[in-house]
Amino acid sequence: MHFYCTAKLSDKMHKTPEGYLVCQDVAITRVGELQYLPGEMPTIARGNNDIIIVERTEDDVFHEDTIRSFEGKPITINHPKEFVGPHNYRELSVGSLNNVRRGTGDMLGKLVTDFLITDSTAIGKVERRELREVSCGYEAEYKQLKPGRARQTDIRGNHVALVPRGRAGPECAIFDSAPKEISMSAKEKFMAMLAKAFDGMPDDDGEETVDGLKAKLALLKKEKEASDTKAKDAQTVADKATADLKKVNDELTTANAAKAQLTTDLATVTAEVTALKKPAGKTTNDAAVVAKAEILAPGIAADTTDIQVVALKTAYATADGKAAIEVFTGGKAPTYDNAAAVDVIFNGAAAAIAAARKAALGGGGGQAVVKTGDGQKTTDFYSDFADAAAKAHPIPKL
């Protein structure tokens, strides 16, 4: 695979037009021996010391399935706590591997690939040389050859991590230019190993030293500080949301109380307005009221609601009734919105009509002499009329 690059940073590093970083000929692992602590290889019996040697042959490293398993796999910053998969790819991936192949020339004995780093943080760390070595994340099978020694087979890649120092050593790293061939005698390698052990640098097998652990601790502290900051920010947002919710609830409670009070006030005012609009007149009809109503409106039902008003309206529709009523209204049509006025008009008009009827019968002061078969009889027509009305419209007992 070829990348279109416009900026050349070095012989091995280029920038694409988008600003992605291309690192060519990156050795991600190698043939040979790697050293592990017993705790890292629980299934392999230890030998005479606390180091377990794991060997990888060309057949294992350059197997067709092994090479294919690394193609297109993600690049990460340090090794994640779990393998990369669809559920965490977006969170962990900072780039991808391309053109995975068997190394030649200076890269003989190494599995080589080209990096396409797409994350700005990772690009910065590589350019500042903070992360230049690489470490493969993979699954493999281990076959014990003898105590303290095993062979690694069936290597299947999951990701490649950018790390400060890798187990495979500085040979598996991102270079600015083609690496120089290193040739050391056995004694020189031994002395270099001792020197690195004492000055805190890793040896070629990638075993971590005090400085390496310090670097990891510093990195973890930074990650913790970042996590603490995020947690604090999240708590601040949560506290504000809680306060806003309480404010809304308080305002809602106040609004509901105001609504309830308004509802009560509305019911009270509505009842008062209804009472004011209700036509005046008695609603409890006693015998005297019914008798007077009968004078004004003969045949009116004793249980008529607002009987005074109904009787007056009926009487006003007649000539005699109108004349009697207008005596009390000044010659105008009566109104029925004042209970006291209605009561006066009702009683006065009933008395006037009763008197007129008595006079028409020739009774003078309300009495008349009526001839009967037995002789003469004096009758008070008003009393008889009222009694007759009371008998015709009896008031039920409560």
Side-chain angles (χ1 to χ4, degrees):
M1 178 180 293
H2 298 282
F3 297 96
Y4 174 62
C5 300
T6 58
K8 181 177 180 181
L9 305 182
S10 66
D11 292 341
K12 297 291 184 181
M13 297 173 64
H14 308 270
K15 282 285 185 71
T16 70
E18 300 85 1
Y20 299 150
L21 180 63
V22 176
C23 304
Q24 293 179 310
D25 300 333
V26 180
I28 57 175
T29 192
R30 60 179 172 82
V31 174
E33 296 180 348
L34 297 179
Q35 295 184 3
Y36 292 84
L37 295 175
E40 297 177 286
M41 293 286 166
T43 61
I44 305 301
R46 69 177 66 183
N48 296 327
N49 54 43
D50 289 334
I51 299 298
I52 295 177
I53 304 298
V54 176
E55 61 181 53
R56 290 189 291 190
T57 68
E58 292 186 356
D59 291 340
D60 301 319
V61 175
F62 302 129
H63 192 283
E64 182 180 353
D65 292 340
T66 298
I67 293 176
R68 279 204 302 261
S69 73
F70 280 99
E71 185 68 35
K73 291 302 170 64
I75 301 168
T76 65
I77 296 179
N78 296 311
H79 285 295
K81 294 181 180 179
E82 58 179 336
F83 271 7
V84 182
H87 65 290
N88 58 8
Y89 178 86
R90 181 176 296 181
E91 175 187 357
L92 299 175
S93 176
V94 298
S96 61
L97 310 180
N98 300 274
N99 192 22
V100 183
R101 58 197 182 276
R102 181 173 185 167
T104 59
D106 293 336
M107 294 293 178
L108 193 64
K110 300 180 179 68
L111 190 62
V112 179
T113 184
D114 298 327
F115 278 16
L116 176 64
I117 304 177
T118 56
D119 177 77
S120 59
T121 299
I123 291 172
K125 288 180 178 292
V126 171
E127 291 180 334
R128 293 190 299 270
R129 295 181 175 273
E130 295 175 16
L131 298 176
R132 278 298 182 93
E133 295 191 14
V134 299
S135 177
C136 292
Y138 57 88
E139 294 180 313
E141 298 293 331
Y142 294 88
K143 179 180 180 181
Q144 173 128 12
L145 302 177
K146 64 179 182 178
R149 178 171 287 273
R151 177 183 173 183
Q152 189 180 72
T153 63
D154 297 329
I155 303 168
R156 299 294 180 265
N158 176 265
H159 65 275
V160 172
L162 297 170
V163 295
R165 297 178 182 88
R167 185 183 297 276
E171 295 176 87
C172 294
I174 297 172
F175 294 100
D176 289 330
S177 59
K180 297 179 181 179
E181 184 175 353
I182 299 175
S183 177
M184 298 179 68
S185 66
K187 180 178 179 181
E188 287 174 330
K189 287 186 178 181
F190 179 76
M191 294 304 294
M193 181 181 68
L194 289 178
K196 290 173 183 177
F198 281 104
D199 67 13
M201 297 297 290
D203 55 27
D204 287 344
D205 61 19
E207 291 297 325
E208 290 187 303
T209 60
V210 173
D211 278 359
L213 292 174
K214 285 182 179 179
K216 277 191 175 181
L217 180 60
L219 183 61
L220 288 173
K221 284 183 177 179
K222 287 183 180 180
E223 291 178 355
K224 182 179 183 300
E225 290 173 0
S227 297
D228 290 344
T229 299
K230 289 182 179 179
K232 184 177 179 181
D233 292 344
Q235 186 61 48
T236 299
V237 172
D239 291 343
K240 185 178 183 305
T242 300
D244 290 344
L245 180 61
K246 183 178 183 304
K247 182 179 178 181
V248 170
N249 285 335
D250 291 344
E251 291 175 351
L252 183 60
T253 299
T254 302
N256 286 337
K259 179 181 177 183
Q261 184 60 49
L262 286 173
T263 301
T264 300
D265 294 344
L266 179 61
T268 301
V269 172
T270 300
E272 291 174 353
V273 170
T274 301
L276 290 173
K277 289 182 176 180
K278 186 176 181 180
K282 294 182 180 296
T283 55
T284 302
N285 306 328
D286 56 24
V289 171
V290 173
K292 293 176 182 179
E294 182 70 29
I295 293 171
L296 293 170
I300 191 171
D303 59 353
T304 301
T305 302
D306 293 327
I307 193 170
Q308 288 181 318
V309 174
V310 174
L312 286 171
K313 288 182 178 180
T314 303
Y316 195 75
T318 67
D320 292 341
K322 180 179 180 181
I325 291 171
E326 288 184 348
V327 169
F328 301 95
T329 63
K332 298 179 181 179
T335 59
Y336 306 100
D337 55 356
N338 186 294
V342 168
D343 199 51
V344 170
I345 297 170
F346 176 78
N347 290 323
I353 292 175
R357 289 176 180 170
K358 291 178 185 178
L361 293 172
Q367 294 180 341
V369 177
V370 180
K371 292 182 178 181
T372 64
D374 300 330
Q376 295 182 344
K377 181 179 179 182
T378 301
T379 304
D380 184 337
F381 283 95
Y382 175 78
S383 297
D384 289 347
F385 194 84
D387 290 341
K391 291 178 180 178
H393 305 287
I395 305 301
K397 295 182 179 180
L398 299 178

